[in-house]
Amino acid sequence: KRILCFGDSLTEGYYYFGLKLHPYTNKLSQLLKENGKTDVQVYNFGVSGESTEEMERRLPKILAIVYFLLIIII
């Protein structure tokens, strides 16, 4: 099963004024594995500074692959 996490800087993991990245997808993957969901892969498609219009253009290409769950944060 695949989970797609799509969005802007929040999804990419932007923090500490952009000097560091810590995506929430890392913790999500860890929690899933700890709870026996070893068949789940979490994909991070976050891009800092991207506009909603840019995201809209990017999403159809990404959705060419089937995902079990889609999380969008904008």
Side-chain angles (χ1 to χ4, degrees):
K1 294 179 182 173
R2 296 181 187 105
I3 296 176
L4 169 67
C5 299
F6 182 85
D8 55 14
S9 58
L10 293 175
T11 301
E12 188 178 30
Y14 180 99
Y15 84 104
Y16 198 68
F17 307 104
L19 298 175
K20 297 183 180 186
L21 292 176
H22 190 287
Y24 71 84
T25 51
N26 293 350
K27 185 66 173 181
L28 178 59
S29 293
Q30 176 190 353
L31 291 170
L32 288 166
K33 285 181 178 45
E34 287 174 2
N35 286 282
K37 305 295 182 188
T38 56
D39 63 336
V40 178
Q41 294 176 315
V42 179
Y43 296 89
N44 185 321
F45 284 92
V47 177
S48 293
E50 190 173 58
S51 70
T52 305
E53 184 177 309
E54 291 167 322
M55 284 186 216
E56 190 176 321
R57 282 193 297 256
R58 186 166 59 101
L59 189 57
K61 294 174 189 171
I62 293 169
L63 292 179
I65 297 173
V66 176
Y67 294 91
F68 172 74
L69 178 65
L70 172 61
I71 300 170
I72 298 178
I73 298 178
I74 56 172

